[in-house]
Amino acid sequence: MYAPSAYNFFSLDQQNADTSSWSFEGEPLAHLSNRSGSIIETMQMISGFITYTPVSYQPIYDSVIEGSEADSLEAASIKVKDITGERIMFAGGDDLMRNSSQMGEDIY
C-alpha cells in the first residue's frame, strides 16, 4: 500500500461532486464529505491551481477529518484489520496529498 489512507474520501472528479472515490459491486462506499472541510483550505488550493504554484491536498483532507462527525468517520474508515494475509505499507513523511504517515499508523 502506497500513501495509505484510513478513510474513504470524496471523489476528485473536478466537478466538486460529493461522491465516493470508491465503489463495491457498482455501489458507492461510505465516504467523508468534502462539505465537512474548511472552505478556506479549499480556496487556498484553488488559488494554487490558478497561480500555477505547488498544491497540497493535505490541509483539505485534514480539515475534512476534523469536521466530520464520529459516525461518519466510522462509516468511512477502511477496515484494514479485516484483511487476511501479509501486508506492507509505504508512507512518506512529506506527503502533499494526505497525511499518509499518520494514517498508516491509524489503520494498524
Side-chain angles (χ1 to χ4, degrees):
M1 181 182 304
Y2 296 94
S5 177
Y7 303 100
N8 292 318
F9 285 98
F10 53 90
S11 174
L12 298 175
D13 66 358
Q14 304 300 317
Q15 295 178 13
N16 202 21
D18 189 22
T19 59
S20 180
S21 290
W22 299 97
S23 63
F24 180 70
E25 295 181 348
E27 295 297 320
L29 294 174
H31 66 283
L32 297 181
S33 172
N34 58 354
R35 296 181 184 130
S36 298
S38 166
I39 190 68
I40 293 169
E41 296 296 349
T42 301
M43 296 308 293
Q44 287 176 340
M45 183 191 69
I46 291 170
S47 80
F49 287 138
I50 293 169
T51 60
Y52 298 102
T53 56
V55 173
S56 174
Y57 286 85
Q58 184 176 343
I60 293 172
Y61 285 119
D62 288 347
S63 74
V64 166
I65 292 169
E66 290 171 16
S68 295
E69 300 290 329
D71 58 337
S72 295
L73 291 169
E74 175 58 30
S77 68
I78 298 172
K79 312 297 192 276
V80 176
K81 66 180 188 247
D82 296 337
I83 297 173
T84 59
E86 300 292 322
R87 297 169 271 180
I88 187 167
M89 188 180 323
F90 299 91
D94 192 18
D95 186 343
L96 297 179
M97 183 58 145
R98 60 180 160 257
N99 192 348
S100 60
S101 180
Q102 180 60 52
M103 287 200 204
E105 291 180 28
D106 291 347
I107 61 179
Y108 267 96

